[in-house]
Amino acid sequence: MEVQDLTEDFLLQLTGCKQLADIKQLNLHDYNLVKLDPVLFRRLQNLEDLDVSNNRLTETSLSITISTLKKLDCSNNDLSEIDFVQNFQNLEELHMEGNHLAESDNFIAAALCPHLTRINRSKYMVYQHLVTNLKSKVTPVINGIWEGKFAKMYKGGIPAAKLAEVSEQVYVVAKQQRAYGHLKLEKYHRCLTKLILQALVISEYETPAKRRRKSENPQRIISSQKNKQYTPQVKEVKIQCFKSDSQRSIPQSKASTEEMCLTTDSKNSTQYTRIKPVVPVTRLPTLPDFEPAYFLRCHSVKNEASDHSTRVWRCAFEPSLDVPGQTTNIVATCGGDSVCLLDCSTGKLMMRYKHPKEHFFALAWTTLTMKNKENGIRTNILAAAGANKVVRLIHPIQHLCYADMTRGAHTRSISTLLFHPKKETWLFSGGTDGKIILWDIGRPSVSSYKFAYGPLLVLKNSGVDILNLAFMTGTGYLVCGSEGGCYAHNIDVLTSDEQSKSDQTSKFEIRLPDWKTTKKVFVDALVQVSDDLIASKCTEQSHIQLWSFSSALAKVNKGKSEVVPVATLDWKTTDEFYINLGTYCNSGMLMCGDDNGRLWLYDVRKFQNKSTAACDSLLKPARLLPWPVCSARTKRGKDRILAEDIAKQTERTIINSATTNWNQHYIVSVTDNNMVCIWTKTR
């Protein structure tokens, strides 16, 4: 039988699915396969059952990553190692008979895949018992060997190139001490030693070689590569979290109907009139519960686990390349001097980009087509910016920051970024200089990353900090929330050569409800909930308001529009600024953190329908997720102090931002004390 080459068309024809993301079960039994394309299999985002038995695959051929895979049959191939199963962290059933494998490999698979319930024809409990007992027995021995012989030698962590060597040295000493008894499973013992060592010592891996760019015009792209570092893994701290009995998330139903007064006594502060109470109080439909899955500290400026002063500001899920409107399980976060990419399904840090003198405040994703001689290549690009007034373009799949955009840029720090939903190379940036800049980031070439960029439009808003942006596709307006109020700009008019740029509808002020003031209001949170619905929050208000942009546009008079809310959502009273709203557009779930580490979840699906009547009631959140009990996952004596310190640091936690993926399976929030929090929906 001829060697079979797998293609997208072949898989779709074989399974009868319309797109790769729809494939959940794939039978490739007896197709004479010698390799699997990692790029092709990466697009099988929902694959759960894979049968590649009776082929000619080696362990190298199976070095693919499928986080959703639950069952794998790789029987009767040419496998001599089983280490590749660590790429399938949710694997529950594994069949690998008929290969060049030993009994040790069964134990290795059991150690690498924590969710396994069956290996070949044996129930996993047989191996689980032996693995757990041996691991608990030898861990103190390996810890002692590390502290006594190697800790001083590798104070900064074990470089990646040295990990195998050091692991073997530790194993030899442990074997001399008869830590493993007389079992003849050396291959498994070596693997277990390496796994225990990795758990005890969080290694700092060497920076991979950076791709060098050659540009015909170096002034077009200013890129300071000297200070940039990419690390696949860094000194991160995984925090063990759980809800105590008193912290179970509950739907909120009770509310005070007392009158709220926002009048202040300071001479220099804005004077606000008394807000009328909104009665009666109503609760939104209940949302599913979420459990804390992975809480990580990976933005430490000096790589110190005790760093609780670094603020993590934003988070955003990576868009799916296969299905527009969906996301992957990868979330990007920014804060301090780094941008991190995390896999929500495993809690693993996939990439960290570090710029030592930067303070990142904003990030945004786009999917664009890179230039190629033959066919263009679709890929995801991540933009990040902050205090240094520079927009940096990152190509995560290549671990490369390929450009720093500075020409015609901001004069002060950049607070927010947003890509145009229809024009994939158009990027909006808003800064503390009051400017909104529309960039065309261009399309980089595949090999050299040559590209041209430049500002298309600069909008000025009286020197106030631009905090959040939303683009309303149906009308072509860009809505901005700032320290000086809320404004809308008609980008279609302003970028058109045929229209006058002095058109009276090119910009108007949006006057949000309940604020009858002589000074501008401070809109510290604003997010697009659906194609027409916007949620906003102002400082010193204890509620969030939903309003229709099309209704606001219809009421424009002399450059101003009075907004009537569609709904008013109850929220916490706080003096803290810059607590952002979060959602995934058109998902129907809105969220906001507070200064006690809680997440307020709202089901707003019915308000996305324009025919829904405005609600006069104050709407309580559908669910409150309390801050869980936190402690560091460690048994090392010197780290107990760190665990206690982390517990104290998280007593008063401010949630800066939160978001969800396309199907609301994950919620990610980021905090003021250097935490990235991943929650998963309960079944």
Side-chain angles (χ1 to χ4, degrees):
M1 183 177 180
E2 294 182 358
V3 175
Q4 177 69 54
D5 288 327
L6 299 182
T7 64
E8 178 178 351
D9 291 340
F10 175 79
L11 295 184
L12 294 178
Q13 183 178 3
L14 179 66
T15 60
C17 294
K18 294 182 179 180
Q19 53 191 10
L20 294 179
D22 294 337
I23 300 176
K24 292 188 176 182
Q25 183 176 10
L26 184 58
N27 188 346
L28 297 174
H29 169 81
D30 200 15
Y31 274 89
N32 205 26
L33 299 174
V34 295
K35 64 179 180 178
L36 300 179
D37 184 355
V39 176
L40 181 64
F41 273 76
R42 181 176 179 269
R43 297 170 63 191
L44 299 172
Q45 299 175 0
N46 298 304
L47 185 63
E48 296 180 355
D49 188 341
L50 176 61
D51 186 348
V52 289
S53 58
N54 285 53
N55 286 291
R56 295 159 52 192
L57 298 171
T58 64
E59 55 273 12
T60 305
S61 307
L62 278 167
S63 295
I64 57 177
T65 300
I66 307 176
S67 61
T68 56
L69 196 65
K70 294 181 179 180
K71 181 179 178 181
L72 174 63
D73 189 346
C74 53
S75 307
N76 301 314
N77 278 280
D78 293 328
L79 303 176
S80 57
E81 302 287 345
I82 202 66
D83 293 5
F84 64 86
V85 298
Q86 65 187 325
N87 296 326
F88 315 129
Q89 283 298 297
N90 290 309
L91 198 64
E92 297 175 358
E93 186 173 344
L94 174 65
H95 297 273
M96 50 185 182
E97 305 101 320
N99 286 286
H100 312 297
L101 299 172
E103 182 64 14
S104 280
D105 293 290
N106 293 341
F107 288 93
I108 292 173
L112 292 174
C113 298
H115 299 294
L116 272 178
T117 58
R118 182 175 294 276
I119 298 177
N120 296 330
R121 298 180 182 180
S122 300
K123 288 188 176 181
Y124 174 63
M125 294 297 294
V126 177
Y127 297 102
Q128 183 186 40
H129 177 72
L130 296 174
V131 169
T132 303
N133 285 352
L134 184 59
K135 188 175 181 180
S136 62
K137 175 185 175 182
V138 302
T139 296
V141 177
I142 293 175
N143 191 12
I145 295 171
W146 166 258
E147 294 290 347
K149 295 180 177 292
F150 300 93
K152 292 183 180 179
M153 192 183 309
Y154 298 100
K155 290 182 179 179
I158 305 176
K162 287 279 188 179
L163 182 59
E165 177 183 339
V166 174
S167 177
E168 180 62 21
Q169 292 172 354
V170 172
Y171 170 73
V172 171
V173 178
K175 185 178 178 182
Q176 292 172 352
Q177 297 180 9
R178 297 194 174 185
Y180 289 108
H182 299 286
L183 289 174
K184 296 182 179 180
L185 297 170
E186 280 198 1
K187 185 178 179 181
Y188 162 58
H189 295 160
R190 282 187 165 89
C191 175
L192 188 59
T193 302
K194 186 176 179 181
L195 291 175
I196 295 172
L197 190 62
Q198 285 177 311
L200 292 173
V201 185
I202 302 174
S203 305
E204 182 177 5
Y205 289 81
E206 294 177 337
T207 303
K210 299 181 182 66
R211 182 194 297 264
R212 293 187 178 182
R213 287 186 294 101
K214 294 182 180 180
S215 176
E216 297 178 359
N217 185 3
Q219 294 182 349
R220 301 180 80 175
I221 309 172
I222 303 174
S223 182
S224 176
Q225 296 285 355
K226 185 173 15 179
N227 293 325
K228 296 176 184 176
Q229 296 179 356
Y230 261 112
T231 53
Q233 294 188 14
V234 294
K235 285 186 178 178
E236 61 183 281
V237 176
K238 287 191 176 181
I239 311 299
Q240 187 173 18
C241 302
F242 59 91
K243 296 179 183 177
S244 67
D245 292 337
S246 62
Q247 289 181 316
R248 295 296 169 186
S249 62
I250 55 174
Q252 302 298 300
S253 58
K254 297 181 179 180
S256 171
T257 57
E258 294 179 357
E259 201 172 45
M260 298 172 287
C261 180
L262 300 181
T263 303
T264 62
D265 295 325
S266 172
K267 294 181 180 179
N268 296 325
S269 62
T270 304
Q271 302 296 314
Y272 305 114
T273 59
R274 189 179 300 270
I275 299 177
K276 295 180 180 180
V278 186
V279 290
V281 175
T282 305
R283 192 185 72 183
L284 288 166
T286 302
L287 286 169
D289 196 7
F290 290 80
E291 290 287 343
Y294 306 101
F295 279 39
L296 305 101
R297 177 164 284 170
C298 51
H299 284 268
S300 302
V301 172
K302 294 184 179 179
N303 243 8
E304 296 177 353
S306 60
D307 175 10
H308 58 87
S309 59
T310 297
R311 296 176 177 178
V312 189
W313 289 106
R314 302 273 185 170
C315 49
F317 276 92
E318 178 188 31
S320 169
L321 290 174
D322 297 312
V323 187
Q326 294 187 12
T327 66
T328 68
N329 293 332
I330 303 298
V331 67
T333 59
C334 68
D337 62 0
S338 57
V339 175
C340 296
L341 265 64
L342 297 144
D343 187 338
C344 291
S345 64
T346 62
K348 286 187 177 181
L349 180 65
M350 308 303 292
M351 185 201 80
R352 185 171 90 158
Y353 167 71
K354 186 178 179 69
H355 196 289
K357 295 183 180 180
E358 180 64 279
H359 294 277
F360 287 104
F361 299 144
L363 50 75
W365 288 97
T366 188
T367 302
L368 54 76
T369 303
M370 296 181 69
K371 293 184 293 185
N372 197 1
K373 290 182 179 179
E374 299 176 355
N375 297 319
I377 298 177
R378 297 289 287 173
T379 191
N380 287 324
I381 298 295
L382 180 65
N388 283 0
K389 305 166 285 188
V390 178
V391 178
R392 309 180 194 279
L393 301 179
I394 301 170
H395 192 197
I397 198 171
Q398 292 293 337
H399 286 204
L400 174 71
C401 177
Y402 65 89
D404 296 346
M405 300 197 305
T406 58
R407 186 177 66 241
H410 294 271
T411 56
R412 297 176 66 185
S413 61
I414 299 172
S415 305
T416 183
L417 295 171
L418 175 73
F419 275 100
H420 193 292
K422 297 296 183 182
K423 299 181 184 295
E424 57 193 32
T425 64
W426 282 20
L427 172 66
F428 298 98
S429 62
T432 58
D433 55 3
K435 292 180 182 178
I436 299 174
I437 298 179
L438 170 57
W439 305 84
D440 188 339
I441 68 169
R443 301 180 189 276
S445 60
V446 173
S447 56
S448 65
Y449 282 86
K450 292 181 180 179
F451 79 112
Y453 79 89
L456 300 176
L457 185 68
V458 178
L459 306 172
K460 297 182 180 179
N461 287 272
S462 306
V464 295
D465 191 353
I466 309 299
L467 299 175
N468 290 285
L469 299 170
F471 191 87
M472 314 308 292
T473 308
T475 59
Y477 273 86
L478 179 72
V479 181
C480 72
S482 72
E483 292 185 0
C486 186
Y487 295 88
H489 301 267
N490 192 329
I491 301 303
D492 287 351
V493 169
L494 295 171
T495 55
S496 173
D497 295 331
E498 299 177 1
Q499 297 289 336
S500 169
K501 294 190 177 182
S502 62
D503 191 308
Q504 62 177 357
T505 62
S506 63
K507 175 184 176 181
F508 65 92
E509 179 185 359
I510 298 172
R511 293 191 169 183
L512 300 175
D514 289 337
W515 288 88
K516 310 299 183 182
T517 71
T518 56
K519 294 186 178 181
K520 302 298 183 183
V521 298
F522 191 147
V523 184
D524 72 332
L526 181 143
V527 69
Q528 183 179 3
V529 178
S530 68
D531 296 336
D532 184 55
L533 199 63
I534 290 179
S536 62
K537 176 174 67 68
C538 299
T539 56
E540 299 184 32
Q541 278 188 332
S542 58
H543 55 266
I544 299 162
Q545 293 185 321
L546 301 177
W547 46 278
S548 165
F549 179 77
S550 61
S551 297
L553 182 59
K555 296 177 182 178
V556 176
N557 183 23
K558 296 182 179 180
K560 298 176 183 178
S561 177
E562 300 282 347
V563 166
V564 176
V566 174
T568 302
L569 312 177
D570 186 35
W571 186 65
K572 186 180 184 297
T573 301
T574 177
D575 294 330
E576 295 292 344
F577 296 173
Y578 312 120
I579 298 179
N580 286 296
L581 295 164
T583 188
Y584 189 78
C585 191
N586 292 311
S587 70
M589 184 166 71
L590 178 69
M591 66 203 71
C592 189
D594 64 18
D595 55 357
N596 286 331
R598 297 179 299 178
L599 277 171
W600 300 57
L601 307 183
Y602 307 89
D603 184 347
V604 297
R605 284 173 292 182
K606 71 175 183 178
F607 299 109
Q608 294 179 180
N609 189 339
K610 292 183 180 181
S611 62
T612 301
C615 180
D616 295 329
S617 301
L618 179 65
L619 300 175
K620 304 297 288 185
R623 191 169 292 277
L624 267 178
L625 300 181
W627 184 258
V629 177
C630 297
S631 62
R633 285 183 181 172
T634 177
K635 294 182 179 179
R636 298 172 65 187
K638 67 179 183 179
D639 284 344
R640 291 197 187 99
I641 298 175
L642 172 61
E644 294 172 0
D645 187 37
I646 287 174
K648 291 178 181 178
Q649 293 164 14
T650 57
E651 286 178 358
R652 187 177 185 274
T653 299
I654 301 174
I655 305 292
N656 289 326
S657 184
T659 190
T660 182
N661 66 327
W662 72 278
N663 61 358
Q664 298 93 57
H665 184 73
Y666 299 107
I667 291 177
V668 177
S669 60
V670 293
T671 75
D672 229 30
N673 56 3
N674 192 16
M675 301 284 286
V676 177
C677 315
I678 301 174
W679 300 73
T680 58
K681 185 187 297 183
T682 57
R683 295 182 179 179

